[in-house]
Amino acid sequence: MNKFTKITAISALSGIAFGTAAFAGNLAEPVVEATVAEPVYQALPVTGEWTGFYGGLNLGYSDIDGTGNLDGNDNTYGAHIGYDYDFGKYVLGAELEYDKTDIDLDGGGTADNIARLKLRGGYDLGKTLIYATAGAARMDTSFGHDTGGFVGIGAAYKVTDSFTVGGELLEHRFKDIGGSGADADATTFNLRGSYRF
């Protein structure tokens, strides 16, 4: 190797070495960008288990057709508490319910409230329960009270394992209210929200 080739090779290697060193170290501190982990939200599964106690509130409408001019309708509100037992595909339960009515019966008095003792049986569709219900109801009026029977249908939907919403349609029969000789049929529809324990 001649002298010129050696000097050229040494010069080239020196340039590479110094150039690499210059690029390897930088006088400015490196900027590290912080990464923020995005939160992962995962919905909890809602089970189709209906066994247990529950309680909640009602908001509805009642239409009363009575003897003579004892007719009236108005909004209602109330509360309920009950217990269901889930047998797998079928659910049986019992419930106490109270509705405040204050319905003017065309000047013949007022219907003040309706209290019910219910039995219900339904079909478990998972998050939805459809059911039939029947039992005894007591209607208090300004001219007396009477205990009669009722039948109806309803449905409940699990929003979460602890909270359900639903609706219920009931048909009542009352005879000789307070010994007055007045009879009445009452149709009620309630929207219901329940907390399950």
Side-chain angles (χ1 to χ4, degrees):
M1 205 184 266
N2 65 26
K3 188 174 182 181
F4 176 75
T5 305
K6 287 182 184 178
I7 292 175
T8 304
I10 290 173
S11 297
L13 287 174
S14 297
I16 291 172
F18 285 122
T20 304
F23 284 115
N26 195 343
L27 297 177
E29 288 292 321
V31 177
V32 178
E33 292 188 22
T35 58
V36 177
E38 292 291 324
V40 177
Y41 298 105
Q42 186 173 10
L44 295 174
V46 178
T47 67
E49 176 60 43
W50 292 89
T51 298
F53 288 97
Y54 63 91
L57 301 176
N58 319 324
L59 181 62
Y61 180 81
S62 184
D63 182 18
I64 298 175
D65 294 320
T67 304
N69 65 343
L70 295 179
D71 299 330
N73 55 68
D74 205 346
N75 297 325
T76 63
Y77 59 93
H80 59 270
I81 187 167
Y83 180 82
D84 286 327
Y85 189 83
D86 193 336
F87 290 93
K89 287 292 183 184
Y90 302 99
V91 177
L92 293 177
E95 181 179 294
L96 290 172
E97 183 176 46
Y98 176 84
D99 277 335
K100 185 71 175 157
T101 55
D102 288 331
I103 297 173
D104 180 17
L105 299 174
D106 283 342
T110 58
D112 301 322
N113 59 67
I114 300 175
R116 302 176 192 91
L117 174 60
K118 300 178 178 178
L119 294 177
R120 67 183 196 169
Y123 191 72
D124 183 351
L125 297 170
K127 294 195 301 185
T128 303
L129 174 67
I130 55 173
Y131 60 90
T133 184
R138 174 182 161 130
M139 181 167 70
D140 290 328
T141 71
S142 59
F143 52 90
H145 64 268
D146 183 54
T147 300
F150 72 89
V151 295
I153 57 172
Y157 176 78
K158 279 191 168 190
V159 178
T160 69
D161 275 337
S162 299
F163 184 69
T164 62
V165 294
E168 202 171 70
L169 178 66
L170 305 175
E171 185 65 33
H172 307 72
R173 298 281 187 270
F174 300 103
K175 302 288 183 189
D176 191 22
I177 300 170
S180 66
D183 299 338
D185 297 340
T187 303
T188 61
F189 176 74
N190 275 337
L191 295 175
R192 296 157 50 96
S194 303
Y195 182 80
R196 304 190 73 86
F197 303 97

